[in-house]
Amino acid sequence: MPRDLPEWITERRRELGDRIRELRLHANYTQEAFAEITGIDRRTLQRIEAGESDPRYGHLLRIAAVLDTRVSVLVD
């Protein structure tokens, strides 16, 4: 990922990661268990939750399905 991204993009990434982490914890999943059940590599999940990377749409779909929510709830 380019390091010269506008600050608003970096902030939105952090917000998305925080929201995913909050919902995951509310559902009582450890990061390891959540990675396993979603089929997403644990390190990839760590980077998403830390706001260090943009998740693929397929990852968002998997995350939303496991959390029984809509993708729009994650990204809004």
Side-chain angles (χ1 to χ4, degrees):
M1 296 261 84
R3 299 213 184 268
D4 58 345
L5 290 173
E7 181 59 33
W8 67 270
I9 291 178
T10 304
E11 182 59 33
R12 289 301 305 251
R13 260 196 211 155
R14 281 191 290 261
E15 290 170 4
L16 173 62
D18 289 345
R19 194 169 300 114
I20 290 170
R21 181 183 308 107
E22 179 182 319
L23 291 169
R24 174 181 60 78
L25 291 172
H26 187 264
N28 292 316
Y29 286 111
T30 64
Q31 217 173 44
E32 185 174 321
F34 194 67
E36 185 174 325
I37 198 167
T38 59
I40 300 170
D41 180 74
R42 189 174 60 83
R43 181 63 186 131
T44 298
L45 183 59
Q46 287 174 330
R47 288 192 302 265
I48 291 169
E49 287 189 358
E52 297 171 358
S53 91
D54 294 321
R56 294 179 181 180
Y57 186 64
H59 289 163
L60 290 175
L61 290 172
R62 290 176 187 187
I63 290 168
V66 170
L67 295 174
D68 194 29
T69 192
R70 297 183 320 257
V71 171
S72 62
V73 170
L74 300 177
V75 298
D76 188 28

